Amino acid sequence: MCKIISIANQKGGVGKTTTAMNVGVGLRLEGKRVLLIDLDPQANLSTYLGFTDDEGDPVDELPTISHLMMAAIGQGKKLTNVKEYIRHNELNDIDYIPSDINLANADCYLAGALSRETVLKRMLSEELLSGYDFIIIDCLPSLGVLLMNALVTSNGIIIPVQAQKFAFDGLGMLNSIFEQVRATLKPDLKLIGVLPTMVDHTNASKRVIEKLKETYTDKLFNTVIHRATEATESTNKHRSLCLYKNRLGEEYRAVSCEILHRMV
Ligand SMILES: Nc1ncnc2c1ncn2[C@@H]1O[C@H](COP(=O)(O)OP(=O)(O)O)[C@@H](O)[C@H]1O
Ligand SMILES: [Mg+2]
């Protein structure tokens, strides 16, 4: 059965997109069929995957998750088959649904739609789900209706936490949304794990990890992601860290294996 995982934290710049991409490719390298969904109007995951129009049209005319969400609530072009929104990235050998800035409008429109938290869930047909072992959703840095859609659709969430000062700011709010979703629409939504990112040798980093251990105990991943410039290089080259022989690639591959163990 297809497992759907949201990578969420309403803080920006904590490593959500880097985690979505590299866990996605890490799971591919474990032989899994993976679909990445970019659910952030900033479309950083799409950029990471080199989403450009190869036919010369402006990128914003290609089908993206925003067109899909708008179609689902009866705005814009009619929805035909979800599969038409899926692209394949050769370099990283992975399928994905890109995003674009118009997703910010979808967020507004959704606020007034009926059963607005379940729009994405209703989009993912049985036929689509049967084609994948994992769907990874890269969430936007906010606590709005798009995040709700991601959580309601998911079996589990991963929370990347930047191991720096203020790491805990806002985590309480994310937790309360998580609990609300569990109490209402998705009782079996699971916290797969909390992942420390951008870990370095500072005392601030050490303190955050100690506090995360105390707070999350076995929900903390055994692997941590260190801070390294390879992360940005990988984004610029549109190529996953897992395809290089380096520390971050090894760490993301280890996280992917932990996910496989935690999701059985
Ligand atoms: N482990 C890391 N070490 C150093 N830089 C990182 C690491 N992970 C991510 N980055 C960089 O930090 C920035 C924010 O990461 P990103 O994954 O886009 O976060 P988010 O999706 O939460 O906003 C990006 O420029 C990214 O390349
Ligand atoms: Mg991001």
Side-chain angles (χ1 to χ4, degrees), residues 207-222:
R207 272 198 300 273
V208 169
I209 293 192
E210 270 162 28
K211 197 164 166 211
L212 285 173
K213 266 190 197 141
E214 252 172 61
T215 316
Y216 292 101
T217 59
D218 62 330
K219 289 295 180 191
L220 191 66
F221 278 101
N222 297 321

Side-chain angles (χ1 to χ4, degrees), residues 52-122:
T52 48
D53 181 3
D54 20 45
E55 282 116 44
D57 293 330
V59 165
D60 63 357
E61 294 193 356
L62 289 172
T64 67
I65 190 78
S66 72
H67 299 107
L68 184 65
M69 301 293 279
M70 297 290 275
I73 54 174
Q75 305 269 347
K77 261 195 201 155
K78 232 177 139 200
L79 177 71
T80 39
N81 186 344
V82 189
K83 285 194 167 172
E84 287 172 21
Y85 295 80
I86 298 177
R87 301 179 73 83
H88 182 72
N89 177 261
E90 290 288 344
L91 185 58
N92 299 284
D93 185 28
I94 199 159
D95 285 359
Y96 70 104
I97 301 181
S99 173
D100 71 282
I101 188 69
N102 294 313
L103 189 62
N105 297 334
D107 198 12
C108 297
Y109 281 115
L110 275 174
L114 267 183
S115 300
R116 55 183 180 263
E117 294 88 2
T118 59
V119 173
L120 181 64
K121 188 183 170 78
R122 285 179 277 134

Side-chain angles (χ1 to χ4, degrees), residues 16-18 40 42 44-45 138-139 141:
K16 288 184 293 297
T17 300
T18 307
D40 184 352
Q42 289 176 37
N44 293 335
L45 179 64
D138 183 25
C139 295

